[in-house]
Amino acid sequence: MLEINNLHCELEEDSEVKILRGVSLSVKPGEVHAIMGPNGSGKSTLSYVLSGRDGYEVTEGSATLEGADLLEMEPEERAAAGLFLAFQYPVEIPGVGNMTFLRTAVNAQRKARGQDELSAGEFLKLVRAKARELQIDAEMLKRPVNVGFSGGEKKRNEILQMAMLEPKMCVLDETDSGLDVDAMKLVSDGVNALRDAGRSFLVITHYQRLLNHIKPDVVHIMSEGRIIKTGGPELALEVEENGYGDLLAEAAS
Amino acid sequence: MIPRAKLKAQKVDAAGALLDGVALPEGGAWITRARKAARERVLEMGLPVKRDEYWKYTDPRRLTDAGAAPAALHDTQGEAPVFGQIDRVKLVFVDGVFDPQASDAMDLAGVEICTLAQAGESDLHWARDLYGTLEARGQRPVERSLASLNTAQAREGLLIRVTAKAEKPISIIYHRSSAEADAMVHHLVRVEAGAEATILENGPLAARFNQVMEVDIADGATLHHVRAQGRDHERAGVAHLFARLGARSQLKSFTLTANGALIRNEAVVWLDGAEGSAHLAGATVGDGAFHHDDTVYITHGAPRCESRQVFKKVLRHGAVGVFQGKILVDQIAQLTDGYQISQSLLLDEDAQFLAKPELEIYADDVKCSHGSTSGEIDPVQLFYLRARGLSEDTAKLLLVLAFLAEALDEIEDAGLAEDLRDRLEAWLARRA
Ligand SMILES: Nc1ncnc2c1ncn2[C@@H]1O[C@H](COP(=O)(O)OP(=O)(O)O)[C@@H](O)[C@H]1O
Ligand SMILES: [Mg+2]
């Protein structure tokens, strides 16, 4: 599904700032991979480079989604190809209604994939059903995108978008941060409901607790722009118990 | 630096030359008196020039030249007409001349309507007392001689007197048929105590237009004014809205402008009675050879009044937007609540926004705020939308509409606001 090979990037405006220094990983269809790592290790940057945000210069390596070169595509083409990024910091857009935004996004992607656009009625039915599962009320759908939303509401809104867009490859960047136990459960249930043999997940998290709910197949530890260790779910538990210290020291030696 | 006296002489000479040998329109005694007085005002003040402080950002030459420069007619084929879905009384002007055949009957309960030509010959007291009066009052402290020129020379216009709550909007529609028409239109509106009406205006009017609307809103009365100024690119025009508000009365005026080589919209408002409320808003989209100027002057002349100005401009490809907005608070106008915001969204580096917000306050217990900003599309918002699959153009369109939404939200009637929003979206989508 997602193949990342020796990916290097630096800041576009300052080539001295090298952030990714050779990331490689391979996510198969239906798999859930977790990326853990200390703050500043480059996890969000990886998600941005995959989704096509400006400001980063890829200097080496490749990233493909089902064989297609992601790095050559515009952000919207990546989305249409099936990539979805749940943002660490969902963006507030005053003046754009959440519903308008969702409908425009869903139909833009359907069009790009050669599917018929959803009618207003079909869309409304679908969004209401999915919102109910995530306990997003109608009031929240009417408001401008993420404006005045609590941290938890923003994260649930990201998952709602994901559920509506039905991507193949979902990248979740710290979707657990700022969530209380109940909200974490809601969000995880939302994610688990989407798990499917043809859909893969890359779950970026700082803490192990999210991985109790969304069980990963593979866990990667990232530090200073590299994957320094890859293992099974037990690796997450090791981090939980001992912190990153030992792993980092081990990698340095 | 040209000395003041010399500048004044130039302005006066230009007015003399423009009016030399030009007869006043035919009309009855009272209107002729008003026109003569206005003509005197023009000759005394002279015509505006770029060196006038009040015209610093906008060159008035195209408005003061002897004739109109031709302006191609915009082809509206296939576009849904503005206010097309709204039930209204339609009054149509073609090149600034009233067209009774194309208009609905002037028949609306609680509203008396006639044309300026009809009024000049009859003895309508309210019109006689209003025509040219507010325009003349508006010449202090800043001269607006193009409006006096209009009072003197306009033959066309509507007189609208509202005596009750009008059940549907009065919709003035300006079509064009000639590439060169030079139009002057002068409307009078009197909303009697406790009455309420909505006046809609839409269309490009003429290759060049000089429009005045004098509005007298009596105690407890309400006027909604929603205007869409058409889309023809090469037009030039100036519109003056003079409005006087009585106690507890309300004015809400909104203008949408898309395109125009030179459009200046002036609004001059007097809050004469306590607890009056005046809201002025504008949404502007300009692309290329476009110069748009909103000049607003609000005088708080009574206590506990509220005024609000919300002006938004989206500019690109060299388009220029100007905002001059003043709030003057007289000494007796305690507990004034004045708010003003002017913002521009510059879609590229060639576009320009010039703003001059001004507060002049003589009362000590007031709340007044103003702000002006210029910015570009937020790259983070743009990326967020694109990451959800919106094309760059669609994402920008949404963000532009979002930027303008705050001004459109000033329109009280949701149906009218929606209509304009849809038109705007369609226009912008075409040009993306
Ligand atoms: N736009 C940027 N400008 C400056 N520094 C950046 C930028 N983006 C990322 N960085 C730097 O790159 C490193 C990795 O950041 P990030 O990817 O956000 O890490 P993580 O998500 O793992 O906490 C940090 O040192 C951060 O300061
Ligand atoms: Mg991060």
Side-chain angles (χ1 to χ4, degrees), chain A residues 11 67 80 101 135 182 186 191 226:
Chain A
L11 276 186
F101 163 58
Q135 295 183 16
D182 292 340
L186 266 179
V191 172
R226 282 190 198 92

Side-chain angles (χ1 to χ4, degrees), chain B residues 166-181:
Chain B
E167 68 191 19
K168 45 182 160 176
I170 301 141
S171 175
I172 309 173
I173 300 166
Y174 305 109
H175 291 312
R176 292 182 61 202
S177 72
S178 134
E180 275 127 52

